[in-house]
Amino acid sequence: MAKHHWGGILLASVIVLAGMVLNPFSAAAEEYHWGFKKATGGVQPNAGEPFESLTQQYGALYKGKSDKKIVYLTFDNGYENGYTESILDTLKKENTPATFFLTGHYLSSATPLVKRMISEGHGIGNHSYGHPNMANLTEKGMEDEWGKFDKALKELTGIERTFYVRPPKGIFNQKLLAKGNDLGYRHIFWSVAFIDWHADKPRGRDYAYGELMKQLHPGALILMHTVSPDNAEALPSFIADAKKEGYSFQTLDDLVMEYENINPVLR
């Protein structure tokens, strides 16, 4: 299962150094909405410009290596709707790691599930405290959102801080990426996603399973939401069938190590 942020100090140091070198305070205020053409035929998607340049400049990640059949599972949890327990049951049964990007509301309203995620070895990501449009905030506001979440997480679980962040609704700008680097955070986007966040409009298990399998590709960084039954019902078959196709499931820490060319022996 996923390990807790094994190299927090190392990751923070690398990201902070990168942020300093890149002069984050010269960042533009233009707002971007993360998006890409969906993968087909097992070929990685390309986010295109300006996303490719921005992710490379600020060390943000949205996929792994194109020659390795590895999948990185992530879930966004803004509020609990009764399906996360089933997802955790599946991950435990399949011995599959994931990272859950949580909000402040989720920390307080679904505390037992948060503690279970951690006890079972999953990663916790920072989805902001109040789920605002982060690109609209001042640098102080950005710092407050991430810091307030980290403070609440530490009080609840003892985890010192998070290192992976994801902007609500995928809305960001260059200033947000730069400020995140300055504070030791790495932005994590995604290369596989589909409409799965309407809690009152489930589309069925087959819809979620079909989207996951159609978009599956080497280095897939998958985003799912836990508010609909679709993902919970599709996840067991997806994991099993992806493994049959030769895919393995790894953590965001593994992805960062690969990206930074860090020798696994250093863990």
Side-chain angles (χ1 to χ4, degrees), residues 234-245:
L235 192 61
S237 296
F238 167 66
I239 292 176
D241 290 349
K243 288 179 177 178
K244 288 177 183 177
E245 292 193 12

Side-chain angles (χ1 to χ4, degrees), residues 225-265:
H225 294 82
T226 61
V227 296
S228 168
D230 300 352
N231 291 335
E233 294 171 2
L235 192 61
S237 296
F238 167 66
I239 292 176
D241 290 349
K243 288 179 177 178
K244 288 177 183 177
E245 292 193 12
Y247 284 87
S248 62
F249 291 78
Q250 293 188 7
T251 70
L252 292 184
D253 285 346
D254 293 322
L255 174 61
V256 169
M257 284 198 304
E258 184 176 78
Y259 179 80
E260 298 289 356
N261 293 318
I262 298 174
N263 191 323
V265 173

Side-chain angles (χ1 to χ4, degrees), residues 3 10 14 60 140 187 194 206 224 239 259:
K3 300 177 177 64
L10 175 59
V14 169
K140 178 63 163 57
H187 273 79
F194 50 95
D206 290 346
M224 286 187 279
I239 292 176
Y259 179 80

Side-chain angles (χ1 to χ4, degrees), residues 28-154:
E30 184 174 357
E31 182 176 295
Y32 301 106
H33 293 241
W34 182 257
F36 50 86
K37 185 177 181 180
K38 291 182 179 180
T40 58
V43 178
Q44 283 192 339
N46 187 297
E49 295 297 342
F51 298 145
E52 288 293 334
S53 295
L54 287 170
T55 54
Q56 291 176 24
Q57 182 178 0
Y58 294 100
L61 300 175
Y62 76 96
K63 60 185 178 181
K65 297 294 181 63
S66 62
D67 61 346
K68 295 184 179 181
K69 299 184 81 170
I70 299 173
V71 178
Y72 308 92
L73 280 180
T74 70
F75 296 87
D76 284 3
N77 295 58
Y79 64 95
E80 180 53 35
N81 200 36
Y83 303 108
T84 304
E85 184 174 7
S86 173
I87 289 171
L88 287 169
D89 288 345
T90 297
L91 296 175
K92 184 176 182 178
K93 180 179 179 181
E94 295 293 337
N95 193 31
T96 300
T99 298
F100 291 86
F101 285 86
L102 311 179
T103 62
H105 176 273
Y106 198 88
L107 290 177
S108 59
S109 63
T111 300
L113 288 171
V114 176
K115 291 184 175 180
R116 180 181 172 185
M117 292 168 189
I118 295 167
S119 69
E120 294 182 357
H122 300 296
I124 302 298
N126 192 326
H127 200 35
S128 80
Y129 189 85
H131 207 262
N133 179 342
M134 296 286 285
N136 281 345
L137 301 181
T138 63
E139 291 180 1
K140 178 63 163 57
M142 295 170 183
E143 182 174 0
D144 287 347
E145 277 291 323
W146 292 321
K148 188 175 180 181
F149 177 89
D150 281 347
K151 183 175 184 292
L153 180 67
K154 182 178 179 180

